[in-house]
Amino acid sequence: MEVSIELTMSPLQDDFESHIIDFIKALRASEFEVLENPLSTQIYGDYNKLMPFLTEAIENSISKQDAVLIYMKLVKSNRADYKPHF
């Protein structure tokens, strides 16, 4: 089953930028398609492969932070090729 996941990381500490950059670099280094914009990062792929990867990537990132929020939206379908029609 293909999914699209939107992630937003909000570290609650002064050195927030380096944590966000490291997390995005880990996503980019994966086998999955990753698209970014100024507000969030989207990752696309097979649910059964993507979720274990994200579990590990998120755990690795949050273990290095004092306090952090991660917002995640999941859509059942791969929306990587979505183009607005208006």
Side-chain angles (χ1 to χ4, degrees):
M1 168 176 51
E2 291 289 308
V3 295
S4 304
I5 299 176
E6 179 181 73
L7 299 157
T8 302
M9 176 181 282
S10 300
L12 303 175
Q13 54 200 49
D14 291 338
D15 63 339
F16 62 91
E17 190 172 351
S18 63
H19 295 291
I20 295 169
I21 291 169
D22 290 345
F23 183 63
I24 291 172
K25 285 182 177 179
L27 299 180
R28 286 178 181 168
S30 73
E31 66 181 271
F32 305 103
E33 183 170 0
V34 175
L35 298 176
E36 303 160 32
N37 66 54
L39 298 176
S40 65
T41 301
Q42 295 84 40
I43 189 165
Y44 307 91
D46 180 76
Y47 178 84
N48 291 318
K49 293 179 182 176
L50 186 52
M51 293 308 290
F53 164 76
L54 279 180
T55 298
E56 184 176 327
I58 290 170
E59 181 178 9
N60 185 42
S61 180
I62 66 175
S63 69
K64 298 174 186 171
Q65 302 181 56
D66 295 328
V68 58
L69 298 172
I70 296 182
Y71 301 94
M72 182 169 75
K73 297 177 190 174
L74 188 146
V75 177
K76 182 186 172 189
S77 69
N78 188 321
R79 308 286 291 165
D81 295 330
Y82 172 77
K83 302 281 188 259
H85 63 278
F86 52 90

